[in-house]
Amino acid sequence: MKPIRNIYGEIISLLNLYRAAHATLARGRRYYGEGAWFSFHLEREVSRLHRELASGAYRHGRYQIFQIRDPKPRTIAAAGFRDRVLHHAVHDVVEPRLDPMFIFDSYACRKGKGTHRALDRAHRFLRGNAYFVHLDVQRYFQSIDHGVLKGLLRRYVADADLLKLLDQIIDSTRYLAETAYANRGGRRITHHEDGQIDLFAERPEAAYKGLPLGNLTSQLFANLYLNELDQYVKHRLKVRRYVRYLDDMALFAPDKATLHATERAIRAFAGQRLRLTLHPSSGPTPARRGLSFLGFRLFPTHRRLKKTSTSRFIRRLNAFTTAYMAEEDPVEQAALRETIQRSVQSFDAHARHGNTVGLRRRLYDRFPLIDQQALAHGTACDC
């Protein structure tokens, strides 16, 4: 692939910035907080952002830190609204130029790919092979090395102005260490017990690591980072049956020996070249035992939805039902009914990619607030 050149002007153009602003506002922020303020002053703020980027005066702002459970605890760093507009503008121009070099079987955060296509591909490979290995990276976003990432960007980007901007986005996470406090209680987020340096630790003396989960550019950087591993697996190790979704990887082969050797090589490459550590694995596993992948358990003959997904759905619907029963305002009750139905439709669309007809029927019968007639038609996936 030829290095990307002369696209900084396209990124900071008023047209691209307006598109990015509208796309960012469409993500549910236009009616409150910074989003509402930015929307009200849209022309002025986009023009100001354009001038700062053109003159080199732009400086990335601070992050808001909060923690969620999804289902395990995660720390999210949310950039300010104008910074998110910039992230969108960068992503919309750079991502289409980098995407063609990614391998076919990389499925995260790419147009025409996604979770369910990754599931279909993995299931196809599982059916045709006796064994598989499932690998994933320990604390992937928190482990991305800034020096390695910048080196990769310089291999594929030859636009000096764009590189300065990308470096500033990456370096913006350094100052989280000095300014980041959890919103509740003002508690500073410090080093983890394993001693790993990450963007939520106090400012380290060693190399910086970590990208915020909340940045759109982080998705692009994460795909670029592990593309190095993808290329190694496909072109050096000559592995044909390999699927990756973000940091979840599955490899398939007719024999154990091949997978043992491939896993050793992948672990060595990830550690030495990318400074990443993979979780311990169970090694080559017979296909008949089933592969846990992207919320499903894949078997050669069928797919099952993982129990954790079902449990989250039940907890969510129980909470909605309790709120609905406690609400006395008919308008608020109607709004809750709509929220419940949207949540169920989202779950239903995902669950249909497994053999879940009976499961869905039993779940929906438990909650009378669900309008089952309004759900999409169909009974099961073609799997």
mmCIF file of all heavy atoms in Angstrom, residues 121-168:
data_model
loop_
_atom_site.group_PDB
_atom_site.id
_atom_site.type_symbol
_atom_site.label_atom_id
_atom_site.label_comp_id
_atom_site.label_asym_id
_atom_site.label_seq_id
_atom_site.Cartn_x
_atom_site.Cartn_y
_atom_site.Cartn_z
ATOM 1 N N ARG A 121 -18.711 -16.529 9.644
ATOM 2 C CA ARG A 121 -17.423 -17.010 9.133
ATOM 3 C C ARG A 121 -16.787 -18.022 10.089
ATOM 4 O O ARG A 121 -16.295 -19.072 9.670
ATOM 5 C CB ARG A 121 -16.500 -15.814 8.941
ATOM 6 C CG ARG A 121 -15.178 -16.136 8.268
ATOM 7 C CD ARG A 121 -15.354 -16.495 6.818
ATOM 8 N NE ARG A 121 -14.095 -16.326 6.094
ATOM 9 C CZ ARG A 121 -13.895 -16.720 4.849
ATOM 10 N NH1 ARG A 121 -14.891 -17.314 4.185
ATOM 11 N NH2 ARG A 121 -12.736 -16.520 4.255
ATOM 12 N N ALA A 122 -16.811 -17.699 11.390
ATOM 13 C CA ALA A 122 -16.247 -18.614 12.381
ATOM 14 C C ALA A 122 -17.013 -19.940 12.394
ATOM 15 O O ALA A 122 -16.408 -21.009 12.520
ATOM 16 C CB ALA A 122 -16.263 -17.964 13.761
ATOM 17 N N HIS A 123 -18.329 -19.861 12.267
ATOM 18 C CA HIS A 123 -19.128 -21.090 12.281
ATOM 19 C C HIS A 123 -18.822 -21.953 11.059
ATOM 20 O O HIS A 123 -18.754 -23.184 11.150
ATOM 21 C CB HIS A 123 -20.616 -20.738 12.308
ATOM 22 C CG HIS A 123 -21.468 -21.810 12.895
ATOM 23 N ND1 HIS A 123 -22.832 -21.715 12.991
ATOM 24 C CD2 HIS A 123 -21.157 -23.028 13.429
ATOM 25 C CE1 HIS A 123 -23.317 -22.810 13.554
ATOM 26 N NE2 HIS A 123 -22.315 -23.614 13.818
ATOM 27 N N ARG A 124 -18.621 -21.309 9.932
ATOM 28 C CA ARG A 124 -18.263 -22.060 8.715
ATOM 29 C C ARG A 124 -16.931 -22.790 8.899
ATOM 30 O O ARG A 124 -16.796 -23.964 8.535
ATOM 31 C CB ARG A 124 -18.169 -21.091 7.538
ATOM 32 C CG ARG A 124 -17.715 -21.736 6.242
ATOM 33 C CD ARG A 124 -17.577 -20.692 5.140
ATOM 34 N NE ARG A 124 -16.974 -21.264 3.946
ATOM 35 C CZ ARG A 124 -16.646 -20.567 2.874
ATOM 36 N NH1 ARG A 124 -16.879 -19.261 2.843
ATOM 37 N NH2 ARG A 124 -16.085 -21.139 1.834
ATOM 38 N N PHE A 125 -15.937 -22.094 9.460
ATOM 39 C CA PHE A 125 -14.635 -22.732 9.697
ATOM 40 C C PHE A 125 -14.751 -23.851 10.736
ATOM 41 O O PHE A 125 -14.088 -24.892 10.613
ATOM 42 C CB PHE A 125 -13.620 -21.695 10.177
ATOM 43 C CG PHE A 125 -13.146 -20.750 9.105
ATOM 44 C CD1 PHE A 125 -12.736 -19.461 9.428
ATOM 45 C CD2 PHE A 125 -13.083 -21.146 7.781
ATOM 46 C CE1 PHE A 125 -12.282 -18.596 8.450
ATOM 47 C CE2 PHE A 125 -12.638 -20.288 6.791
ATOM 48 C CZ PHE A 125 -12.239 -19.001 7.127
ATOM 49 N N LEU A 126 -15.584 -23.634 11.767
ATOM 50 C CA LEU A 126 -15.739 -24.652 12.809
ATOM 51 C C LEU A 126 -16.311 -25.937 12.238
ATOM 52 O O LEU A 126 -15.904 -27.040 12.619
ATOM 53 C CB LEU A 126 -16.649 -24.108 13.918
ATOM 54 C CG LEU A 126 -16.803 -24.992 15.162
ATOM 55 C CD1 LEU A 126 -15.529 -24.921 16.009
ATOM 56 C CD2 LEU A 126 -18.002 -24.550 16.004
ATOM 57 N N ARG A 127 -17.261 -25.811 11.336
ATOM 58 C CA ARG A 127 -17.900 -26.987 10.747
ATOM 59 C C ARG A 127 -16.928 -27.815 9.900
ATOM 60 O O ARG A 127 -17.090 -29.027 9.767
ATOM 61 C CB ARG A 127 -19.079 -26.555 9.871
ATOM 62 C CG ARG A 127 -20.297 -26.112 10.660
ATOM 63 C CD ARG A 127 -21.295 -25.435 9.753
ATOM 64 N NE ARG A 127 -22.601 -25.279 10.392
ATOM 65 C CZ ARG A 127 -23.541 -24.476 9.951
ATOM 66 N NH1 ARG A 127 -23.322 -23.715 8.884
ATOM 67 N NH2 ARG A 127 -24.699 -24.401 10.570
ATOM 68 N N GLY A 128 -15.926 -27.157 9.342
ATOM 69 C CA GLY A 128 -15.019 -27.850 8.434
ATOM 70 C C GLY A 128 -13.710 -28.288 9.058
ATOM 71 O O GLY A 128 -12.820 -28.768 8.338
ATOM 72 N N ASN A 129 -13.544 -28.135 10.377
ATOM 73 C CA ASN A 129 -12.285 -28.469 11.022
ATOM 74 C C ASN A 129 -12.534 -29.166 12.353
ATOM 75 O O ASN A 129 -13.546 -28.929 13.022
ATOM 76 C CB ASN A 129 -11.455 -27.197 11.254
ATOM 77 C CG ASN A 129 -11.001 -26.571 9.958
ATOM 78 O OD1 ASN A 129 -9.970 -26.933 9.412
ATOM 79 N ND2 ASN A 129 -11.776 -25.631 9.437
ATOM 80 N N ALA A 130 -11.584 -30.004 12.741
ATOM 81 C CA ALA A 130 -11.756 -30.798 13.957
ATOM 82 C C ALA A 130 -11.388 -30.035 15.222
ATOM 83 O O ALA A 130 -11.884 -30.363 16.306
ATOM 84 C CB ALA A 130 -10.919 -32.079 13.866
ATOM 85 N N TYR A 131 -10.520 -28.988 15.097
ATOM 86 C CA TYR A 131 -10.029 -28.282 16.282
ATOM 87 C C TYR A 131 -10.017 -26.770 16.051
ATOM 88 O O TYR A 131 -9.981 -26.294 14.908
ATOM 89 C CB TYR A 131 -8.609 -28.741 16.636
ATOM 90 C CG TYR A 131 -8.506 -30.198 16.986
ATOM 91 C CD1 TYR A 131 -8.179 -31.150 16.014
ATOM 92 C CD2 TYR A 131 -8.751 -30.640 18.289
ATOM 93 C CE1 TYR A 131 -8.096 -32.493 16.336
ATOM 94 C CE2 TYR A 131 -8.667 -31.985 18.614
ATOM 95 C CZ TYR A 131 -8.348 -32.903 17.634
ATOM 96 O OH TYR A 131 -8.272 -34.231 17.949
ATOM 97 N N PHE A 132 -10.024 -26.056 17.161
ATOM 98 C CA PHE A 132 -9.910 -24.598 17.113
ATOM 99 C C PHE A 132 -9.099 -24.126 18.308
ATOM 100 O O PHE A 132 -8.945 -24.824 19.317
ATOM 101 C CB PHE A 132 -11.296 -23.931 17.122
ATOM 102 C CG PHE A 132 -12.034 -24.064 18.425
ATOM 103 C CD1 PHE A 132 -11.820 -23.174 19.482
ATOM 104 C CD2 PHE A 132 -12.950 -25.096 18.609
ATOM 105 C CE1 PHE A 132 -12.495 -23.315 20.681
ATOM 106 C CE2 PHE A 132 -13.627 -25.236 19.814
ATOM 107 C CZ PHE A 132 -13.401 -24.343 20.844
ATOM 108 N N VAL A 133 -8.594 -22.874 18.210
ATOM 109 C CA VAL A 133 -7.972 -22.160 19.328
ATOM 110 C C VAL A 133 -8.591 -20.771 19.385
ATOM 111 O O VAL A 133 -8.704 -20.091 18.363
ATOM 112 C CB VAL A 133 -6.444 -22.045 19.162
ATOM 113 C CG1 VAL A 133 -5.877 -21.007 20.123
ATOM 114 C CG2 VAL A 133 -5.779 -23.372 19.423
ATOM 115 N N HIS A 134 -8.992 -20.365 20.582
ATOM 116 C CA HIS A 134 -9.550 -19.027 20.789
ATOM 117 C C HIS A 134 -8.552 -18.208 21.599
ATOM 118 O O HIS A 134 -8.145 -18.623 22.685
ATOM 119 C CB HIS A 134 -10.889 -19.125 21.531
ATOM 120 C CG HIS A 134 -11.549 -17.802 21.761
ATOM 121 N ND1 HIS A 134 -12.305 -17.516 22.867
ATOM 122 C CD2 HIS A 134 -11.543 -16.662 21.016
ATOM 123 C CE1 HIS A 134 -12.756 -16.284 22.803
ATOM 124 N NE2 HIS A 134 -12.300 -15.739 21.687
ATOM 125 N N LEU A 135 -8.157 -17.042 21.074
ATOM 126 C CA LEU A 135 -7.182 -16.178 21.727
ATOM 127 C C LEU A 135 -7.752 -14.774 21.876
ATOM 128 O O LEU A 135 -8.532 -14.318 21.034
ATOM 129 C CB LEU A 135 -5.892 -16.103 20.908
ATOM 130 C CG LEU A 135 -5.175 -17.423 20.604
ATOM 131 C CD1 LEU A 135 -4.034 -17.180 19.628
ATOM 132 C CD2 LEU A 135 -4.662 -18.066 21.878
ATOM 133 N N ASP A 136 -7.356 -14.081 22.938
ATOM 134 C CA ASP A 136 -7.703 -12.672 23.078
ATOM 135 C C ASP A 136 -6.632 -11.972 23.894
ATOM 136 O O ASP A 136 -5.868 -12.596 24.619
ATOM 137 C CB ASP A 136 -9.091 -12.478 23.683
ATOM 138 C CG ASP A 136 -9.184 -12.980 25.112
ATOM 139 O OD1 ASP A 136 -8.623 -14.051 25.394
ATOM 140 O OD2 ASP A 136 -9.811 -12.322 25.946
ATOM 141 N N VAL A 137 -6.583 -10.642 23.745
ATOM 142 C CA VAL A 137 -5.522 -9.829 24.345
ATOM 143 C C VAL A 137 -5.956 -9.363 25.726
ATOM 144 O O VAL A 137 -7.095 -8.950 25.936
ATOM 145 C CB VAL A 137 -5.201 -8.615 23.453
ATOM 146 C CG1 VAL A 137 -4.105 -7.756 24.079
ATOM 147 C CG2 VAL A 137 -4.798 -9.068 22.053
ATOM 148 N N GLN A 138 -5.032 -9.412 26.665
ATOM 149 C CA GLN A 138 -5.303 -8.881 27.996
ATOM 150 C C GLN A 138 -5.364 -7.351 27.938
ATOM 151 O O GLN A 138 -4.431 -6.702 27.480
ATOM 152 C CB GLN A 138 -4.198 -9.298 28.983
ATOM 153 C CG GLN A 138 -4.177 -10.778 29.317
ATOM 154 C CD GLN A 138 -3.128 -11.107 30.368
ATOM 155 O OE1 GLN A 138 -2.525 -10.220 30.956
ATOM 156 N NE2 GLN A 138 -2.902 -12.398 30.598
ATOM 157 N N ARG A 139 -6.512 -6.805 28.382
ATOM 158 C CA ARG A 139 -6.663 -5.349 28.498
ATOM 159 C C ARG A 139 -6.170 -4.651 27.225
ATOM 160 O O ARG A 139 -5.262 -3.815 27.261
ATOM 161 C CB ARG A 139 -5.901 -4.851 29.723
ATOM 162 C CG ARG A 139 -6.382 -5.466 31.030
ATOM 163 C CD ARG A 139 -5.466 -5.126 32.203
ATOM 164 N NE ARG A 139 -5.258 -3.702 32.317
ATOM 165 C CZ ARG A 139 -6.123 -2.830 32.835
ATOM 166 N NH1 ARG A 139 -7.281 -3.266 33.296
ATOM 167 N NH2 ARG A 139 -5.846 -1.542 32.899
ATOM 168 N N TYR A 140 -6.806 -4.954 26.093
ATOM 169 C CA TYR A 140 -6.255 -4.550 24.809
ATOM 170 C C TYR A 140 -6.102 -3.039 24.672
ATOM 171 O O TYR A 140 -4.997 -2.525 24.420
ATOM 172 C CB TYR A 140 -7.106 -5.107 23.668
ATOM 173 C CG TYR A 140 -6.628 -4.658 22.312
ATOM 174 C CD1 TYR A 140 -5.267 -4.688 21.998
ATOM 175 C CD2 TYR A 140 -7.510 -4.170 21.354
ATOM 176 C CE1 TYR A 140 -4.798 -4.262 20.761
ATOM 177 C CE2 TYR A 140 -7.056 -3.756 20.117
ATOM 178 C CZ TYR A 140 -5.710 -3.794 19.826
ATOM 179 O OH TYR A 140 -5.248 -3.365 18.601
ATOM 180 N N PHE A 141 -7.192 -2.269 24.810
ATOM 181 C CA PHE A 141 -7.089 -0.829 24.601
ATOM 182 C C PHE A 141 -6.106 -0.191 25.577
ATOM 183 O O PHE A 141 -5.374 0.731 25.218
ATOM 184 C CB PHE A 141 -8.474 -0.185 24.740
ATOM 185 C CG PHE A 141 -9.286 -0.240 23.477
ATOM 186 C CD1 PHE A 141 -10.057 -1.353 23.188
ATOM 187 C CD2 PHE A 141 -9.265 0.796 22.568
ATOM 188 C CE1 PHE A 141 -10.806 -1.416 22.029
ATOM 189 C CE2 PHE A 141 -10.008 0.753 21.397
ATOM 190 C CZ PHE A 141 -10.782 -0.367 21.127
ATOM 191 N N GLN A 142 -6.085 -0.690 26.816
ATOM 192 C CA GLN A 142 -5.166 -0.128 27.811
ATOM 193 C C GLN A 142 -3.713 -0.504 27.542
ATOM 194 O O GLN A 142 -2.802 0.087 28.120
ATOM 195 C CB GLN A 142 -5.555 -0.597 29.211
ATOM 196 C CG GLN A 142 -6.898 -0.050 29.699
ATOM 197 C CD GLN A 142 -8.043 -0.983 29.363
ATOM 198 O OE1 GLN A 142 -7.988 -1.728 28.385
ATOM 199 N NE2 GLN A 142 -9.092 -0.954 30.177
ATOM 200 N N SER A 143 -3.473 -1.501 26.670
ATOM 201 C CA SER A 143 -2.122 -2.001 26.443
ATOM 202 C C SER A 143 -1.483 -1.492 25.155
ATOM 203 O O SER A 143 -0.313 -1.790 24.890
ATOM 204 C CB SER A 143 -2.134 -3.538 26.418
ATOM 205 O OG SER A 143 -2.623 -4.056 27.634
ATOM 206 N N ILE A 144 -2.226 -0.777 24.338
ATOM 207 C CA ILE A 144 -1.677 -0.290 23.067
ATOM 208 C C ILE A 144 -0.550 0.695 23.342
ATOM 209 O O ILE A 144 -0.732 1.719 24.007
ATOM 210 C CB ILE A 144 -2.783 0.353 22.212
ATOM 211 C CG1 ILE A 144 -3.773 -0.725 21.750
ATOM 212 C CG2 ILE A 144 -2.185 1.090 21.015
ATOM 213 C CD1 ILE A 144 -4.959 -0.189 20.983
ATOM 214 N N ASP A 145 0.620 0.394 22.850
ATOM 215 C CA ASP A 145 1.819 1.181 23.096
ATOM 216 C C ASP A 145 1.863 2.383 22.149
ATOM 217 O O ASP A 145 1.787 2.233 20.927
ATOM 218 C CB ASP A 145 3.050 0.292 22.885
ATOM 219 C CG ASP A 145 4.337 0.994 23.237
ATOM 220 O OD1 ASP A 145 4.830 1.779 22.411
ATOM 221 O OD2 ASP A 145 4.854 0.751 24.351
ATOM 222 N N HIS A 146 1.989 3.575 22.715
ATOM 223 C CA HIS A 146 1.976 4.783 21.899
ATOM 224 C C HIS A 146 3.131 4.824 20.903
ATOM 225 O O HIS A 146 2.955 5.244 19.757
ATOM 226 C CB HIS A 146 2.038 6.020 22.799
ATOM 227 C CG HIS A 146 0.780 6.266 23.560
ATOM 228 N ND1 HIS A 146 0.552 7.434 24.263
ATOM 229 C CD2 HIS A 146 -0.325 5.496 23.750
ATOM 230 C CE1 HIS A 146 -0.640 7.375 24.835
ATOM 231 N NE2 HIS A 146 -1.181 6.193 24.554
ATOM 232 N N GLY A 147 4.307 4.393 21.320
ATOM 233 C CA GLY A 147 5.451 4.416 20.417
ATOM 234 C C GLY A 147 5.266 3.478 19.238
ATOM 235 O O GLY A 147 5.566 3.828 18.091
ATOM 236 N N VAL A 148 4.774 2.278 19.491
ATOM 237 C CA VAL A 148 4.523 1.319 18.414
ATOM 238 C C VAL A 148 3.450 1.849 17.475
ATOM 239 O O VAL A 148 3.586 1.783 16.245
ATOM 240 C CB VAL A 148 4.102 -0.052 18.996
ATOM 241 C CG1 VAL A 148 3.686 -1.009 17.876
ATOM 242 C CG2 VAL A 148 5.237 -0.653 19.817
ATOM 243 N N LEU A 149 2.371 2.399 18.040
ATOM 244 C CA LEU A 149 1.285 2.922 17.215
ATOM 245 C C LEU A 149 1.758 4.058 16.323
ATOM 246 O O LEU A 149 1.439 4.099 15.123
ATOM 247 C CB LEU A 149 0.147 3.398 18.122
ATOM 248 C CG LEU A 149 -1.047 4.060 17.427
ATOM 249 C CD1 LEU A 149 -1.675 3.130 16.404
ATOM 250 C CD2 LEU A 149 -2.081 4.513 18.455
ATOM 251 N N LYS A 150 2.549 4.975 16.865
ATOM 252 C CA LYS A 150 3.046 6.083 16.050
ATOM 253 C C LYS A 150 3.971 5.582 14.938
ATOM 254 O O LYS A 150 3.975 6.126 13.827
ATOM 255 C CB LYS A 150 3.773 7.097 16.938
ATOM 256 C CG LYS A 150 2.844 7.880 17.859
ATOM 257 C CD LYS A 150 3.636 8.850 18.734
ATOM 258 C CE LYS A 150 2.721 9.637 19.649
ATOM 259 N NZ LYS A 150 3.464 10.574 20.519
ATOM 260 N N GLY A 151 4.740 4.541 15.240
ATOM 261 C CA GLY A 151 5.593 3.963 14.206
ATOM 262 C C GLY A 151 4.773 3.363 13.075
ATOM 263 O O GLY A 151 5.122 3.507 11.891
ATOM 264 N N LEU A 152 3.681 2.696 13.411
ATOM 265 C CA LEU A 152 2.804 2.119 12.384
ATOM 266 C C LEU A 152 2.161 3.217 11.548
ATOM 267 O O LEU A 152 2.058 3.094 10.318
ATOM 268 C CB LEU A 152 1.718 1.261 13.037
ATOM 269 C CG LEU A 152 2.189 -0.012 13.732
ATOM 270 C CD1 LEU A 152 1.025 -0.700 14.438
ATOM 271 C CD2 LEU A 152 2.831 -0.964 12.739
ATOM 272 N N LEU A 153 1.716 4.291 12.187
ATOM 273 C CA LEU A 153 1.098 5.381 11.438
ATOM 274 C C LEU A 153 2.082 5.991 10.450
ATOM 275 O O LEU A 153 1.701 6.346 9.322
ATOM 276 C CB LEU A 153 0.593 6.449 12.414
ATOM 277 C CG LEU A 153 -0.665 6.087 13.200
ATOM 278 C CD1 LEU A 153 -0.916 7.098 14.313
ATOM 279 C CD2 LEU A 153 -1.880 6.013 12.279
ATOM 280 N N ARG A 154 3.348 6.082 10.821
ATOM 281 C CA ARG A 154 4.334 6.667 9.919
ATOM 282 C C ARG A 154 4.670 5.731 8.754
ATOM 283 O O ARG A 154 5.196 6.182 7.742
ATOM 284 C CB ARG A 154 5.603 7.030 10.709
ATOM 285 C CG ARG A 154 5.454 8.379 11.397
ATOM 286 C CD ARG A 154 6.278 8.552 12.627
ATOM 287 N NE ARG A 154 6.094 9.893 13.185
ATOM 288 C CZ ARG A 154 5.009 10.278 13.875
ATOM 289 N NH1 ARG A 154 4.044 9.409 14.100
ATOM 290 N NH2 ARG A 154 4.895 11.509 14.328
ATOM 291 N N ARG A 155 4.367 4.467 8.909
ATOM 292 C CA ARG A 155 4.558 3.533 7.793
ATOM 293 C C ARG A 155 3.483 3.744 6.722
ATOM 294 O O ARG A 155 3.733 3.554 5.533
ATOM 295 C CB ARG A 155 4.496 2.100 8.303
ATOM 296 C CG ARG A 155 4.783 1.063 7.218
ATOM 297 C CD ARG A 155 4.559 -0.347 7.715
ATOM 298 N NE ARG A 155 5.323 -0.644 8.923
ATOM 299 C CZ ARG A 155 5.173 -1.769 9.616
ATOM 300 N NH1 ARG A 155 4.278 -2.673 9.250
ATOM 301 N NH2 ARG A 155 5.899 -1.968 10.701
ATOM 302 N N TYR A 156 2.278 4.157 7.148
ATOM 303 C CA TYR A 156 1.151 4.231 6.218
ATOM 304 C C TYR A 156 0.692 5.651 5.912
ATOM 305 O O TYR A 156 -0.107 5.846 4.999
ATOM 306 C CB TYR A 156 -0.039 3.436 6.790
ATOM 307 C CG TYR A 156 0.288 1.983 7.013
ATOM 308 C CD1 TYR A 156 0.330 1.452 8.300
ATOM 309 C CD2 TYR A 156 0.562 1.134 5.948
ATOM 310 C CE1 TYR A 156 0.633 0.113 8.515
ATOM 311 C CE2 TYR A 156 0.870 -0.196 6.152
ATOM 312 C CZ TYR A 156 0.911 -0.705 7.438
ATOM 313 O OH TYR A 156 1.226 -2.027 7.646
ATOM 314 N N VAL A 157 1.178 6.644 6.666
ATOM 315 C CA VAL A 157 0.778 8.037 6.451
ATOM 316 C C VAL A 157 2.025 8.869 6.200
ATOM 317 O O VAL A 157 2.962 8.849 7.002
ATOM 318 C CB VAL A 157 0.014 8.586 7.671
ATOM 319 C CG1 VAL A 157 -0.330 10.060 7.451
ATOM 320 C CG2 VAL A 157 -1.247 7.775 7.929
ATOM 321 N N ALA A 158 2.019 9.611 5.075
ATOM 322 C CA ALA A 158 3.166 10.461 4.725
ATOM 323 C C ALA A 158 2.785 11.928 4.685
ATOM 324 O O ALA A 158 3.481 12.744 4.088
ATOM 325 C CB ALA A 158 3.733 10.031 3.375
ATOM 326 N N ASP A 159 1.675 12.271 5.347
ATOM 327 C CA ASP A 159 1.208 13.653 5.433
ATOM 328 C C ASP A 159 1.663 14.209 6.783
ATOM 329 O O ASP A 159 1.148 13.812 7.835
ATOM 330 C CB ASP A 159 -0.315 13.676 5.309
ATOM 331 C CG ASP A 159 -0.896 15.081 5.248
ATOM 332 O OD1 ASP A 159 -0.439 15.941 6.014
ATOM 333 O OD2 ASP A 159 -1.814 15.307 4.438
ATOM 334 N N ALA A 160 2.623 15.142 6.773
ATOM 335 C CA ALA A 160 3.225 15.634 8.022
ATOM 336 C C ALA A 160 2.205 16.311 8.924
ATOM 337 O O ALA A 160 2.216 16.130 10.149
ATOM 338 C CB ALA A 160 4.371 16.597 7.694
ATOM 339 N N ASP A 161 1.307 17.111 8.343
ATOM 340 C CA ASP A 161 0.298 17.801 9.150
ATOM 341 C C ASP A 161 -0.664 16.809 9.795
ATOM 342 O O ASP A 161 -1.052 16.967 10.961
ATOM 343 C CB ASP A 161 -0.480 18.798 8.296
ATOM 344 C CG ASP A 161 0.366 19.988 7.869
ATOM 345 O OD1 ASP A 161 1.261 20.382 8.645
ATOM 346 O OD2 ASP A 161 0.135 20.521 6.773
ATOM 347 N N LEU A 162 -1.047 15.798 9.049
ATOM 348 C CA LEU A 162 -1.941 14.781 9.596
ATOM 349 C C LEU A 162 -1.250 14.010 10.712
ATOM 350 O O LEU A 162 -1.864 13.717 11.747
ATOM 351 C CB LEU A 162 -2.409 13.819 8.496
ATOM 352 C CG LEU A 162 -3.250 12.631 8.951
ATOM 353 C CD1 LEU A 162 -4.469 13.075 9.738
ATOM 354 C CD2 LEU A 162 -3.658 11.776 7.749
ATOM 355 N N LEU A 163 0.017 13.680 10.527
ATOM 356 C CA LEU A 163 0.736 12.958 11.584
ATOM 357 C C LEU A 163 0.811 13.773 12.869
ATOM 358 O O LEU A 163 0.677 13.225 13.969
ATOM 359 C CB LEU A 163 2.143 12.599 11.099
ATOM 360 C CG LEU A 163 2.224 11.427 10.110
ATOM 361 C CD1 LEU A 163 3.641 11.289 9.560
ATOM 362 C CD2 LEU A 163 1.795 10.123 10.787
ATOM 363 N N LYS A 164 1.018 15.090 12.752
ATOM 364 C CA LYS A 164 1.032 15.935 13.949
ATOM 365 C C LYS A 164 -0.310 15.880 14.662
ATOM 366 O O LYS A 164 -0.374 15.823 15.900
ATOM 367 C CB LYS A 164 1.363 17.384 13.565
ATOM 368 C CG LYS A 164 2.804 17.604 13.136
ATOM 369 C CD LYS A 164 3.029 19.067 12.757
ATOM 370 C CE LYS A 164 4.451 19.286 12.271
ATOM 371 N NZ LYS A 164 4.661 20.713 11.847
ATOM 372 N N LEU A 165 -1.390 15.905 13.887
ATOM 373 C CA LEU A 165 -2.721 15.853 14.486
ATOM 374 C C LEU A 165 -2.979 14.497 15.136
ATOM 375 O O LEU A 165 -3.504 14.427 16.257
ATOM 376 C CB LEU A 165 -3.783 16.141 13.422
ATOM 377 C CG LEU A 165 -5.231 16.134 13.897
ATOM 378 C CD1 LEU A 165 -5.455 17.192 14.973
ATOM 379 C CD2 LEU A 165 -6.177 16.366 12.719
ATOM 380 N N LEU A 166 -2.609 13.415 14.456
ATOM 381 C CA LEU A 166 -2.800 12.079 15.027
ATOM 382 C C LEU A 166 -1.973 11.907 16.302
ATOM 383 O O LEU A 166 -2.432 11.313 17.277
ATOM 384 C CB LEU A 166 -2.428 11.012 13.997
ATOM 385 C CG LEU A 166 -3.304 10.952 12.749
ATOM 386 C CD1 LEU A 166 -2.766 9.906 11.772
ATOM 387 C CD2 LEU A 166 -4.756 10.652 13.090
ATOM 388 N N ASP A 167 -0.746 12.429 16.275
ATOM 389 C CA ASP A 167 0.086 12.371 17.483
ATOM 390 C C ASP A 167 -0.578 13.120 18.639
ATOM 391 O O ASP A 167 -0.532 12.678 19.788
ATOM 392 C CB ASP A 167 1.464 12.987 17.211
ATOM 393 C CG ASP A 167 2.364 12.076 16.400
ATOM 394 O OD1 ASP A 167 1.985 10.903 16.188
ATOM 395 O OD2 ASP A 167 3.442 12.534 15.978
ATOM 396 N N GLN A 168 -1.197 14.256 18.328
ATOM 397 C CA GLN A 168 -1.844 15.024 19.389
ATOM 398 C C GLN A 168 -3.034 14.261 19.976
ATOM 399 O O GLN A 168 -3.252 14.290 21.190
ATOM 400 C CB GLN A 168 -2.305 16.387 18.853
ATOM 401 C CG GLN A 168 -2.816 17.290 19.959
ATOM 402 C CD GLN A 168 -3.193 18.673 19.479
ATOM 403 O OE1 GLN A 168 -3.909 19.371 20.172
ATOM 404 N NE2 GLN A 168 -2.724 19.082 18.312
#
